[in-house]
Amino acid sequence: MLRISYPEQGSSLCVLRRLLPAHGGTDPGAVYKGRQEKDDNLELTLEVGKILEENGIDVVYTRTTDVYQTPFEKARLANESGADYFISFHRNSSPSDNQYEGVEVLVYDKNGIKFDMAENIVGALGELGFRELGVKERPGLVVLRRTKMPALLVETGFINSDGDNDLYDENLKETAQSIAGAILGTLTEETIEAPVYYRVQTGAFQNRENADRMLYQLMDQGYPAYLLHQNDLYKVQAGAFQQLGNAVNMEQRLRDEGYSTVIVTK
């Protein structure tokens, strides 16, 4: 079973697996022109969690409503849930309006699968047009230091950047799909005592551009698609299911759309 979680004034998700929306209640997080970070965090967390659940991932949320939790409470909830991963969603902010823009993911250190997942998330959001600020170490953050499982804090653009807000608002579902796809794609790379996940492959290409073209087409149609580079091939896949029947259902949907598919476990 896989769990994920998310952070402090953000929202979180435990992929079991735990998801965490940051901030909440009396803590609005960063505020810009009446826009409150806590609302964006919760909205995105629920969208990402929905996609992961549809792909057979058990998700635990630190909050699903507008309530406040301290960073220590969020870390405790994640640890007690037995989550496999903790993912906290935030929006960044800068001293001056429209000073910076871009997405980044914070981790305790740049080791292990959390670092791979963080890089994949940044890259996926970069393909939507966000500036990629990279993966940064923040060992002092409570939700990264006190959690017992791999933990990430996703900063989805600057809330006081009009450009980032336009991208965020116009591409909310695509942003959620990109993050969920990056998570699912990373999970397929787990090798130590990992459960078997069934995935639906729609193509394998030697040319990256051809693979990207199919990837974007699937994402535009609402599929949780992602790209893997294995054995000198760019493989386009969708979903990561623990139950074969769920993969079969996904495959049938894709075939009805005209795709040639095969169910794989790698």
Side-chain angles (χ1 to χ4, degrees):
M1 183 176 288
L2 172 71
R3 307 193 178 191
I4 296 181
S5 287
Y6 300 89
E8 282 146 34
Q9 294 175 349
S11 283
S12 301
L13 169 130
C14 291
V15 176
L16 251 339
R17 333 286 191 180
R18 176 176 291 272
L19 293 178
L20 167 94
H23 308 282
T26 57
D27 177 11
V31 178
Y32 178 61
K33 295 182 179 179
R35 183 178 191 139
Q36 299 186 345
E37 181 191 356
K38 67 176 183 178
D39 298 327
D40 286 356
N41 295 335
L42 181 58
E43 182 180 36
L44 181 59
T45 297
L46 295 176
E47 287 285 345
V48 173
K50 179 183 177 182
I51 296 171
L52 293 175
E53 289 171 332
E54 289 173 348
N55 283 275
I57 301 299
D58 290 335
V59 175
V60 178
Y61 302 86
T62 56
R63 72 177 176 96
T64 57
T65 57
D66 187 17
V67 297
Y68 174 70
Q69 299 156 318
T70 69
F72 293 95
E73 288 178 304
K74 291 175 180 179
R76 177 182 59 80
L77 288 170
N79 292 334
E80 290 177 353
S81 74
D84 299 315
Y85 299 90
F86 179 93
I87 303 173
S88 183
F89 289 97
H90 288 257
R91 299 292 310 280
N92 224 328
S93 186
S94 56
S96 300
D97 295 344
N98 295 302
Q99 181 180 14
Y100 302 116
E101 60 183 23
V103 297
E104 62 184 1
V105 178
L106 310 182
V107 294
Y108 183 82
D109 57 43
K110 295 183 179 181
N111 294 313
I113 193 169
K114 67 179 180 297
F115 179 54
D116 295 336
M117 186 178 290
E119 285 196 311
N120 289 342
I121 290 173
V122 170
L125 292 175
E127 291 184 352
L128 289 180
F130 288 100
R131 181 183 179 189
E132 297 182 30
L133 300 180
V135 179
K136 300 177 182 177
E137 295 182 342
R138 290 291 187 275
L141 291 177
V142 171
V143 293
L144 301 181
R145 186 179 77 249
R146 298 296 291 269
T147 43
K148 297 178 180 179
M149 69 290 296
L152 296 79
L153 192 156
V154 182
E155 296 276 13
T156 317
F158 284 76
I159 198 169
N160 62 342
S161 162
D162 293 326
D164 276 354
N165 285 339
D166 287 344
L167 274 173
Y168 185 94
D169 293 337
E170 294 170 6
N171 300 280
L172 176 63
K173 291 189 180 298
E174 291 82 358
T175 297
Q177 289 167 1
S178 293
I179 293 172
I183 292 169
L184 292 167
T186 306
L187 295 179
T188 66
E189 300 168 4
E190 288 186 284
T191 57
I192 302 176
E193 298 182 358
V196 174
Y197 286 93
Y198 299 96
R199 301 179 296 280
V200 183
Q201 183 166 298
T202 58
F205 306 88
Q206 292 182 327
N207 187 294
R208 172 67 183 265
E209 291 183 0
N210 293 335
D212 284 342
R213 191 174 300 112
M214 177 172 284
L215 175 67
Y216 300 148
Q217 181 176 315
L218 287 167
M219 292 177 64
D220 286 343
Q221 293 175 310
Y223 290 102
Y226 47 90
L227 190 66
L228 295 179
H229 188 209
Q230 296 176 329
N231 302 322
D232 296 325
L233 290 175
Y234 295 97
K235 300 178 181 180
V236 182
Q237 299 178 354
F241 305 96
Q242 290 183 292
Q243 299 298 321
L244 178 59
N246 292 332
V248 171
N249 291 337
M250 172 69 79
E251 182 182 39
Q252 188 59 57
R253 287 173 54 197
L254 287 163
R255 287 189 174 182
D256 289 345
E257 296 279 359
Y259 293 96
S260 297
T261 63
V262 60
I263 294 177
V264 299
T265 56
K266 289 186 178 181

